[in-house]
């Protein structure tokens, strides 16, 4: 007498269901991830280009006579920030030959301080340096983009200015785009899973269930009912084998 195991393994239906759900789900997650990363890089690049363009427009308004006029520089900064609401801060530092000293800023309390590493790098290497800053006062929880750019007057590099830009508007647009991507891909996933499930049910689970029932009847001694081939694939071939065994 052959004694079968009392333990019941994971059924075929459960296995196929897991495959039908997991494979499209993982594919969709990967697709969404790469789409979001692509969108994030694109939006960041566009915003950085706009920030640099604004920074250059501020430099154009600075003349040689302005360098010795702290009050005038301060007025230019306030006027520039009023015209560009997404600019959170402007700091202008000039070189005294040895170091860079902050001579004008929207935050008057910082005037006279030395500049940070980003500004020093922009001045020394004569290039634009862009980085992500920490939360700016009044912009808690929002992204801040920091741009440091050397100041040139009559072709001479005389200092550096730093600008802080709020990325709030960009973050909102990116979040809305991510939401749309998730929604569309979620709907696509549900449609794909439903379609695959119907296809598997009709071509695999249905024939297997029918064959299982017929073989079970043979196992119970009911040999009068023939095992019919319901498909032309491997399941149909298996049905033919069982039918030959029944007849024999």
């Amino acid at each position: 007498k052959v004694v079968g195991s009392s333990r019941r393994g994971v059924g075929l239906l459960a296995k196929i269901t897991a495959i039908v759900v997991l494979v499209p789900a993982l594919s969709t997650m990967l697709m969404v991830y790469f789409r979001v990363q692509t969108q994030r890089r694109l939006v960041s690049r566009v915003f950085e280009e706009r920030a640099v363009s604004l920074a250059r427009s501020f430099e154009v308004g600075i003349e040689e006579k302005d360098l010795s006029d702290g009050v005038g520089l301060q007025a230019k900064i306030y006027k520039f920030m009023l015209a560009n609401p997404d600019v959170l801060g402007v700091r202008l530092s000039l070189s005294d030959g040895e170091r860079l000293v902050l001579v004008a800023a929207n935050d008057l309390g910082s005037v006279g301080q030395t500049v940070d590493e980003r500004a020093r790098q922009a001045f020394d290497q004569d290039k634009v340096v862009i980085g992500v800053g920490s939360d700016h006062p009044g912009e808690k929880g929002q992204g801040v983009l920091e741009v440091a750019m050397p100041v040139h007057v009559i072709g001479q590099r005389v200092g550096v200015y730093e600008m802080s830009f709020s990325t709030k508007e960009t973050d909102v647009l990116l979040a809305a785009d991510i939401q749309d991507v998730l929604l569309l891909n979620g709907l696509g996933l549900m449609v794909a899973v439903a379609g695959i499930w119907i296809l598997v049910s009709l071509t695999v689970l249905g024939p297997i269930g029918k064959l299982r029932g017929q073989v079970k009847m043979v196992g119970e001694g009911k040999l009068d009912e023939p095992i019919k081939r319901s498909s032309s694939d491997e399941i149909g071939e298996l049905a033919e084998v069982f039918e030959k065994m029944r007849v024999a």
Side-chain angles (χ1 to χ4, degrees), residues 114-150:
T114 55
V115 300
D116 60 16
E117 185 61 32
R118 185 181 294 115
R120 168 55 66 179
Q121 181 183 0
F123 180 80
D124 291 342
Q125 300 181 14
D126 196 18
K127 69 175 185 178
V128 179
V129 178
I130 300 175
V132 178
S134 57
D135 285 342
H136 193 276
E139 293 289 324
K140 295 297 183 181
Q142 299 295 334
V144 177
L145 186 71
E146 301 281 357
V147 176
M149 184 178 294

Side-chain angles (χ1 to χ4, degrees), residues 76-122:
K76 286 180 180 291
I77 289 175
Y78 291 139
K79 183 179 179 180
F80 181 80
M81 292 182 64
L82 285 174
N84 301 281
D86 55 346
V87 178
L88 303 177
V90 178
R91 299 168 297 281
L92 175 61
S93 303
L94 298 178
S95 173
D96 62 3
E98 296 181 357
R99 62 193 183 106
L100 290 168
V101 180
L102 193 60
V103 297
N106 62 296
D107 178 14
L108 293 176
S110 62
V111 174
Q113 297 179 358
T114 55
V115 300
D116 60 16
E117 185 61 32
R118 185 181 294 115
R120 168 55 66 179
Q121 181 183 0

Side-chain angles (χ1 to χ4, degrees), residues 163-244:
M163 288 189 184
S164 301
F165 296 87
S166 171
T167 61
K168 182 177 181 180
E169 182 179 352
T170 305
D171 293 341
V172 170
L173 292 175
L174 184 59
D177 185 70
I178 291 174
Q179 185 176 1
D180 291 341
V181 170
L182 291 175
L183 178 61
L184 291 175
N185 282 275
L187 292 175
L189 174 62
M190 289 189 289
V191 172
V193 169
I196 294 174
W197 176 251
I198 293 174
L199 180 63
V200 170
S201 296
L202 294 176
T203 59
V204 180
L205 295 181
I208 288 179
K210 184 177 181 180
L211 178 60
R212 181 170 177 263
Q214 292 174 332
V215 172
K216 185 177 181 181
M217 291 179 62
V218 172
E220 293 173 352
K222 300 176 183 179
L223 304 177
D224 297 333
E225 187 70 25
I227 298 177
K228 299 179 180 180
R229 178 169 181 165
S230 59
S231 62
S232 58
D233 54 16
E234 289 81 355
I235 298 176
E237 294 176 358
L238 185 61
E240 281 189 355
V241 172
F242 279 119
E243 173 62 12
K244 292 177 180 178

Side-chain angles (χ1 to χ4, degrees), residues 1-14:
K1 182 179 179 179
V2 178
V3 181
S5 174
S6 60
R7 294 182 59 187
R8 183 177 179 83
V10 179
L12 179 62
L13 177 61

Side-chain angles (χ1 to χ4, degrees), residues 12-62:
L12 179 62
L13 177 61
K15 293 177 180 178
I16 293 180
T17 301
I19 294 174
V20 167
V21 173
L22 289 177
V23 171
L26 290 174
S27 300
T28 300
M29 288 173 62
L30 287 174
M31 184 169 61
V32 169
Y33 172 78
F34 287 116
R35 171 72 183 277
V36 168
Q37 292 303 313
T38 300
Q39 287 293 97
R40 193 184 300 277
R41 286 193 295 269
L42 177 61
V43 171
S44 296
R45 185 165 61 251
V46 171
F47 185 81
E48 288 177 2
E49 290 175 355
R50 179 175 178 274
V52 171
S53 178
L54 276 176
R56 291 194 186 282
S57 69
F58 177 74
E59 181 186 15
V60 171
I62 299 178

